[in-house]
Amino acid sequence: MQRRVSVMGRAMDPGEMEQALRDAGCTGEDIACMMENAGDPKGLLTLLARHRAALLEEVHRGEKKIDCLDYLIYQLKHQL
């Protein structure tokens, strides 16, 4: 029987936690590492925060690309 994992004071089935990590974009390697640290809330929080920061960086890179496209669109519209 799999041990339940406590996440934010709530007992979570390990399969449920793995699915949540997959949904958050974690790789299989990330998930295995996080599941190994499930009994260490501080260690798990560090890993989750690291993954969150990486996702946020992706968002910021995407925003910069959108800004570049918006500038090009603006310039083209003003040439018409």
Side-chain angles (χ1 to χ4, degrees), residues 1-16:
M1 182 175 171
Q2 287 185 324
R3 170 188 81 175
R4 295 183 67 80
V5 179
S6 178
V7 177
M8 295 177 63
R10 177 181 165 300
M12 180 180 275
D13 181 88
E16 184 182 2

Side-chain angles (χ1 to χ4, degrees), residues 47-66:
L47 294 171
L48 292 171
R50 191 175 302 148
H51 183 68
R52 183 184 186 284
L55 290 174
L56 189 56
E57 182 58 35
E58 284 181 42
V59 169
H60 290 158
R61 282 193 300 269
E63 287 175 335
K64 287 178 183 179
K65 291 175 185 178
I66 291 170

Side-chain angles (χ1 to χ4, degrees), residues 4-72:
R4 295 183 67 80
V5 179
S6 178
V7 177
M8 295 177 63
R10 177 181 165 300
M12 180 180 275
D13 181 88
E16 184 182 2
M17 183 172 171
E18 287 180 29
Q19 184 60 52
L21 293 169
R22 271 193 298 277
D23 292 346
C26 294
T27 65
E29 187 178 319
D30 292 338
I31 292 170
C33 186
M34 290 181 197
M35 294 304 291
E36 286 175 15
N37 283 280
D40 173 19
K42 287 185 180 183
L44 183 56
L45 282 172
T46 298
L47 294 171
L48 292 171
R50 191 175 302 148
H51 183 68
R52 183 184 186 284
L55 290 174
L56 189 56
E57 182 58 35
E58 284 181 42
V59 169
H60 290 158
R61 282 193 300 269
E63 287 175 335
K64 287 178 183 179
K65 291 175 185 178
I66 291 170
D67 289 344
C68 290
L69 288 172
D70 287 345
Y71 175 74
L72 289 171

